[in-house]
Amino acid sequence: MPAAFINDTEKEIQRLELLIQEQGVGALCFFHSRASAATNYEEDPTAGQAEKKVIYYENSFDTLKALIERYQAAAKYPLLIAIDAEWGLAMRIENTPQYPYAITLGAIQGNTDLVFEVGRNIARDCKAAGIHWNLAPVADINNNQNNPVIGYRSFGEQRDVVAKKAIAYVKGTQSEGVLTSIKHFPGHGDTATDSHLGLPLIDKSKRKLTENELYPFQRLIDEGVDSVMVGHLSVPSLANGKTISSSISKEIIKGVLRDEMGFQGVVISDALNMHAVSKNYPKKGELEWLSFDAGNDVLCFAEHTEEGIAIILENASEKQIEESFERIWKLKVKAMNSQIQISIPPTGEIALKLTTPNELNEKIAEQSLTLFKGSESDISEFIEDIFIPVENSHTIENQFFKIFLKNKKLNSVVLKEDTVINAQNILLALFPPQIKPTDNFGFSAKEFETINTLIKTKNVVLYLFGNPYVLNHIDTKNTKAVIIVYQDFKVFQEVATSHFLRKFKAKGKLSVSV
C-alpha cells in the first residue's frame, strides 16, 4: 500500500500509475500532500521550511475523486483505497465535513448513539469519494498526559470507555459498508515519544498490558473488526524480551495478536516511512520484507515497493504468501460488495438517521460540554454581575462572544502581556493555537504566565475551546468555573454561548485526567 498524495504533480501521478501497473500494487493510502505527511511535517531536519510548508488547496476533494478513478483504471484488479479519517475526511482534505475528536466523543455520557452516527457519517463521506477503508478508530488508551501523538485522538484513559466508544464508531462505519482498522496495536497510549520520529518503549508487564492496553483491542476483535493496524512500539514483555518494534515482531503479531487474541483478519502495518523503523533499515526493501515476515498483510506507506516485492518473493514461502493473499482478497470482496449495502439504523435513545454534519455536531456539543470546575449556580451568579469578556489572540472567528456582546453592549479584550483590565469579573475564552501539545499547544510561556496572573488576581470564568490537556499549563484552582468545550467549531461556540446564558446545564465528563 504505497502512499498517494492528493496534490501531486502530473509527473508523480504517472510514476504511481506505472508502479501500479508494473508491480501489481493492491492498495493505496491517500494523504493530502507530501509536505503534510506526518514524518515530513513534524520534524525533518533535512527538509527546509519551504519544503515542509503545507499549502491550502480548495478543490482537493474533486482532485481526490479524479485520482482514485485514474489509479483504479491503471490497476488490473480493483485497488483498496484507504485514508486516515479519524474525525472525518477533513483530517486530510479541505472543505469536507469535520466531526469532533475522539476525546470530545469520550466526554459524552449515557449512550453511544452519537459515536455510531459519527462513524456512519464519516463512512458516507468516504463512499462519496470512492474510499473503501477508513484507517480508524484509535483504540489506544491515553494514560500518559505527555503523549505527543495520541492524546486528543483517544476516547480516554479508561479501558471500558475506549472500548465502548470504539465499538460504536466501528459499527457506525460498518453500517455504511466501509471498512475500519483499529490502531495502534498493542497500544500507543502510554508513550512520551512520537513514533513518527523515534521508537517508543513501553516497559510494562504482560499482565498489566493484558488488563489494560490490550483490552479494547480484544473487545473489538470479539466484535468482528475488519483489520488491525500494528504500531511502531517497543514492548519487550510481549516480544520475549526483545526491544524490536511491534510492527516487525513475529512474537507480537503472530504470537499475541493471532494466536493468543484469536484475530484472523487482515493485519496492516503503521506507515513504514515513520522514523521509528525506517531510519533503522536503509537497505531498500528490507523493512518491507521484515514487516511481511512478521505477519503484516498490508504494508502501509511502503516506500520501496519494487525492492520489497523482490525480497519477499525471494524469502517467503508459498504458504505464507497464499495465506496473506486470501485474507486480503476476502477484504477486497467485502469492500467491493458492500458499496451497495443498506445502512443499519442505530438503536438506543437517539435516532439520527438523517442527521446532517452540522446537526450531529450540535448534538455532540450539547452532550459533551463539560463543567470541569465550579457549579452551574456559580455561573448564574457571575452572569448577573458586570464582567469583561477576554480572549487570547487567535485566527478563529469568535462566535462565543457574539450574542451577549451585542445584547449587553460590551467590548471584548484581547489578552496581551501588558493588558490592564479594571473589572474584577472576567469571562475568559481560550482558543489554543494548535490541537497538538508540541510547543505548549502554540502558546508562549509569557501567554500562560499572563493567563495565570489574570486567574490569580481576578474572578474568572474560563471556557476552553480546544484540547483539555492545555489545562495542565493553567492554575485553575482560583477560577470561579472552568468549562471545556473541546472544539472551536462555530456550532460548538454557539452551544457554549447557550450554556453561559443558562439555557442548559453541562452534561459531559472529561475522559482523561489533567
Side-chain angles (χ1 to χ4, degrees), residues 2 41 45 54 79 122 148 176 180 197 220 223 239 276 283 339 354 359 379 411-412 431 440 458 473-474 509:
Y41 184 60
V54 179
L79 297 165
I122 292 172
E176 287 290 332
T180 57
L197 309 175
L220 284 150
E223 290 284 340
K283 181 182 176 183
Q339 293 300 301
L354 299 177
E359 289 171 336
I379 302 170
N411 293 316
S412 63
F431 297 84
N440 294 330
K458 304 289 183 179
H473 299 271
I474 297 173
K509 182 180 179 181

Side-chain angles (χ1 to χ4, degrees), residues 297-333:
D297 301 303
V298 176
L299 310 181
C300 184
F301 215 133
E303 295 190 290
H304 308 296
T305 300
E306 185 174 355
E307 296 86 352
I309 289 171
I311 297 177
I312 288 169
L313 288 174
E314 181 182 342
N315 291 283
S317 68
E318 184 177 343
K319 181 175 181 288
Q320 190 177 3
I321 292 173
E322 288 299 328
E323 286 178 351
S324 188
F325 170 80
E326 185 179 350
R327 286 189 288 266
I328 294 168
W329 195 255
K330 281 182 179 178
L331 196 67
K332 281 197 173 189
V333 169

Side-chain angles (χ1 to χ4, degrees), residues 13 47 71 108 135 194 215 248 296 343 416 486-487 490 506:
I13 292 167
Y71 290 138
I108 298 170
L135 302 180
D194 184 345
Y215 177 83
I248 53 174
N296 291 287
S343 297
K416 296 178 181 177
Y486 299 98
Q487 311 282 160
K490 179 175 180 286

Side-chain angles (χ1 to χ4, degrees), residues 342-357:
I342 298 172
S343 297
I344 305 166
T347 58
E349 298 173 21
I350 306 174
L352 302 168
K353 192 174 180 182
L354 299 177
T355 302
T356 65

Side-chain angles (χ1 to χ4, degrees), residues 177-369:
V178 171
L179 305 174
T180 57
S181 186
I182 55 174
K183 58 189 183 184
H184 306 80
F185 185 84
H188 206 316
D190 196 5
T191 68
T193 301
D194 184 345
S195 54
H196 292 99
L197 309 175
L199 182 64
L201 172 66
I202 300 177
D203 193 16
K204 288 184 174 180
S205 69
K206 187 171 182 177
R207 181 182 61 81
K208 285 186 177 180
L209 292 168
T210 301
E211 290 174 352
N212 204 49
E213 276 81 356
L214 295 178
Y215 177 83
F217 290 97
Q218 186 67 70
R219 286 282 309 278
L220 284 150
I221 288 168
D222 294 343
E223 290 284 340
V225 73
D226 296 305
S227 66
V228 176
M229 177 181 284
V230 181
H232 305 307
L233 309 159
S234 174
V235 193
S237 65
L238 300 181
N240 293 338
K242 299 176 185 176
T243 55
I244 189 172
S245 173
S246 50
S247 56
I248 53 174
S249 167
K250 294 179 184 179
E251 291 87 354
I252 290 176
I253 299 175
K254 293 181 178 179
V256 177
L257 180 58
R258 292 221 185 274
D259 295 343
E260 295 179 23
M261 298 179 71
F263 181 64
Q264 299 305 313
V266 166
V267 176
I268 176 174
S269 71
D270 204 348
L272 294 182
N273 74 319
M274 291 166 63
H275 293 168
V277 289
S278 62
K279 65 183 180 182
N280 299 322
Y281 301 97
K283 181 182 176 183
K284 291 183 178 181
E286 183 182 11
L287 180 55
E288 283 77 4
W289 157 243
L290 291 172
S291 300
F292 178 74
D293 191 42
N296 291 287
D297 301 303
V298 176
L299 310 181
C300 184
F301 215 133
E303 295 190 290
H304 308 296
T305 300
E306 185 174 355
E307 296 86 352
I309 289 171
I311 297 177
I312 288 169
L313 288 174
E314 181 182 342
N315 291 283
S317 68
E318 184 177 343
K319 181 175 181 288
Q320 190 177 3
I321 292 173
E322 288 299 328
E323 286 178 351
S324 188
F325 170 80
E326 185 179 350
R327 286 189 288 266
I328 294 168
W329 195 255
K330 281 182 179 178
L331 196 67
K332 281 197 173 189
V333 169
K334 181 178 180 180
M336 306 309 162
N337 288 344
S338 62
Q339 293 300 301
I340 58 171
Q341 182 173 319
I342 298 172
S343 297
I344 305 166
T347 58
E349 298 173 21
I350 306 174
L352 302 168
K353 192 174 180 182
L354 299 177
T355 302
T356 65
N358 197 63
E359 289 171 336
L360 177 56
N361 284 340
E362 182 179 7
K363 287 182 172 66
I364 293 170
E366 291 169 353
Q367 295 293 324
S368 63
L369 187 136

Side-chain angles (χ1 to χ4, degrees), residues 132-207:
H132 313 107
W133 200 359
N134 182 9
L135 302 180
V138 167
D140 303 317
I141 300 169
N142 199 75
N143 42 14
N144 187 326
Q145 294 189 28
N146 298 316
N147 197 314
V149 67
I150 303 300
Y152 66 99
R153 298 166 63 194
S154 166
F155 292 110
E157 65 183 16
Q158 298 297 324
R159 67 176 200 172
D160 290 304
V161 170
V162 172
K164 288 176 183 176
K165 299 289 170 75
I167 288 169
Y169 185 107
V170 166
K171 288 188 177 297
T173 307
Q174 289 175 339
S175 75
E176 287 290 332
V178 171
L179 305 174
T180 57
S181 186
I182 55 174
K183 58 189 183 184
H184 306 80
F185 185 84
H188 206 316
D190 196 5
T191 68
T193 301
D194 184 345
S195 54
H196 292 99
L197 309 175
L199 182 64
L201 172 66
I202 300 177
D203 193 16
K204 288 184 174 180
S205 69
K206 187 171 182 177
R207 181 182 61 81

